[in-house]
Amino acid sequence: MAGYACILLHQSAAAACCDQNGVAKCSNTEGPAGWATSFEKLLEDPLGLHTFAEFLKKEFSAENIYFWTACERYRRLPLGNERTAEAQRIYQQHLSLGAPEAVNVDAQGRQCTEQSLQNPDSNLFDLAQKQIFNLMKFDSYPRFLKSDIYKQCLSGDIEKPALDAGLMLQMPTTTPSKLKKSLSNAEDRRRKSLLPWHRKNRSKSKDRGEVDYIQRRNDIIASNENIEDQIGKNVGSDMHSSHSSLTSLDLAITSQDGTKPRLNNQDELTANGGRTSLCRVLLSNGSTTVVQIKESESIQQLVTRLLDKRGITYSSFEVFTNKHPKPMDVNEPSIKLAGCEVTVEQRVVFKLDLPNRKIISVKSKYTKIIVDVLRPILHKYQYNLDQVVVTNANVPINLHLPVTSIDGARLNVQLCEDIKEDRSNTVIRVNNVKANKLDEITNKVDSGVHERKKKVIPRFKGNSNNDSAEDVQSEQSQIKKPLIAKWKAGANKLHVTCSESDALPEENLF
Amino acid sequence: MVCGSSNKNVDEDDKLYTKKFFQTTKLLLLGTGESGKTTIIKQMKILHINGFSNQERKEKIPFIKQNIHESIYDIVYNMNKINPPVEIYNEDARESVEYILNVGAEDPAEYTDEYYEHIKIAWADKGVQEAYERSNEYQLIDSAAHFLNRIDEIRKSDYIPSTQDILYCRIMTVSISKIEFEVPVPKKYGGGMAEFWMYDVGGQRGQRKKWIQVFDGIQAILFLIAASDFDQTLREDESKNRLKEAFTLFGDIYRSRFVRDAGLIVFLNKQDLLKKKIEQGRKIEKYFPEYSNYRSSDKESNPNSEYDRARFYMKQKVLDIASTPLTIEHIGFVPGKNLHEELPPRDVYIHFTIATDTNNIKRVFDSVHEIILQNVIEGTLY
């Protein structure tokens, strides 16, 4: 449900972030001039990394930078099947005999990887990655600094390279600010870059693999991250974390001595690298806490980590700060919260099956009473609360309970007269029967359809100017017949374009 | 490369590029890893461009120091890994060896006096020297001794690498790069200047599938074989003999349909190291049993010289590969030829080279140039 909420929020929040991440904030990076200081510096800057990759493509050695970034992403994967599979993928792609993008590691580097491929730990590729890092550093990097590409960058004549999912150090959704910093209209570019057919330089199948696995990665990281283990721990001493530390310094405010953060007094703080950025979080229950920001985390992950630690479950929440006028996009990197007073407001989300077969999603402040939320909504659809029965799993609900009692539920609204007309027990779930049939029909693409459902919701948001301003509601098109046709069409399309992927990038559907 | 900076120039640039492409003699350096391809590129820069400026020399210092560390580390790291292991001879050197092992495979952040002293002590140790002599049993760059013997020079704060240092400096190639130069044409061939483009590639197995990118329009392939590699194994696969791999690869290139029209010039390189190894008593027959029965029939070969026997044996191996019949089946469809028809063998020119010796390479390149010019006149290369 949390994911659901964030999608509801997504559009307005994303727009707000675009406003805030304009050109003015790009000044923190050193830019092309800094790339000459060291090879590490070059790779720390996403634009540098991409430009370097463009250069390598011209020299036919881009496999090295793809391998290196794949290793960076791999290192951040949690233990589990996902990691084993990813280890295999990288091995097959870059290290195995006859690998399509073989990198030049010595026998030791390969054997080292082969030996622990079945039980991969996070430093499985370290030796090989280090070798490739050195190869690029010693062979390609000096030439890069003398290349026309680099000279053009220095003179400000940068041809912005298209973003490449294969070169992301992290998953795109957790670092959108990174993209925005380096590229104008980053939102568009990001979408484009996820569509395999927009990219010219690499084979489609490879692209799809990348997109696919990045997408899967998101889900896994969001759900599996070992929170207790990481909270309060400063992950930032090794090579890779230094990259992300530079990604978004916009708000990275750190305490100078690193021990006694005084968030209220900005004068004592300096923006110096963001390793130990902090923010103060106020939860809906009134409690407040100072949270350490980890570079790799999205806002969503940070809040979830905090809630989990406190044993609180919010099916949905919104994040406000004292520095941003609009709610934060929870997919943004949490570094955006550095130095902010952050308010996390719980939101309640539930669905309503209306008598006219529409289903609407309702999002509400958690402080409300059910009846106060339902009345204006039903009114909008020309129903009167007195003439309907609202049930949750066939049990009528008490409308005078707080709305939190129906968090995540799917309520059925029926007209009293319908119930009187048909007294059989099974009558209530007419909609459900049909829905089940629908499920059977679209069984194969069930997950894809759910993705689609979520995505559809915000589209209708603009129409729902309802009486109660805090409540966001949306409706899904529920006129069944055309819907099936539509879904099936979508299903076929999915099947054709992404037969190999088990999680679909949302962008593919539109 | 000629690349358009703005759209309207692209067409013109393309035309210019195409024109130049056809006027230029394109040479491609091929060979297994560490066979000396990049060294040839450096020689071309010395011979036909402007050599190395002081600035460029200074830029090489970090790489030379990295070579020093890699060399000494690989030697001391492998001392007790090889079979039978080598012991440190002088107990005083133990501390230095441990110091180097502690620094690790990565080169140190700072090259201190302490560091250089430890390296000198370790390198002077008889045990370490013995491990160095057996470096064919593990992976060590060829320039190890050159740099380790020059530590006192290199550690100086005003050190500027010599041309030899630059030629010996080992940087593994991972990309495809190109060097452009002009060479005066001898009067008998009409005088003027001839333009050359020479392409350098990485030689390890994983790199070879990139080669096809530069096969187009190549007039001649300079195929390098490190002759001294006969007792070493591949860096990327330690179960495979380097020289055998080189011969196999040469066979593949010889038969490749993609470079069928290119002249083949083989450099049997690293003759200095080969000579040294033979004089040390290294046995080629240990790796190539048929060598025991080999007697050189070449008139240039001195029958009393084991080194001559060795190098002409290798030359013969190349000639054997180059005289195996080629059928269309090997090559694929050739217009106007019957599928089972035998194709005439390709001409292969063989040179003994020392890529780090500028004079040697100058002579060899002049003769390569002449071969190309003759072939251009005869029209066989086009």
Side-chain angles (χ1 to χ4, degrees), chain A residues 83-100:
Chain A
R83 188 154 84 185
T84 316
E86 181 59 9
Q88 272 292 345
R89 194 198 69 83
I90 296 178
Y91 174 77
Q92 291 300 340
Q93 184 73 11
H94 296 290
L95 294 174
S96 63
L97 279 179

Side-chain angles (χ1 to χ4, degrees), chain B residues 110-138:
Chain B
E110 224 185 323
Y111 289 86
T112 56
D113 277 343
E114 186 193 12
Y115 173 84
Y116 287 121
E117 284 308 316
H118 280 304
I119 291 201
K120 280 182 72 177
I121 293 168
W123 175 236
D125 182 74
K126 269 191 189 167
V128 173
Q129 284 289 329
E130 196 188 330
Y132 165 70
E133 294 302 329
R134 285 172 57 189
S135 67
N136 63 310
E137 295 171 44
Y138 52 94

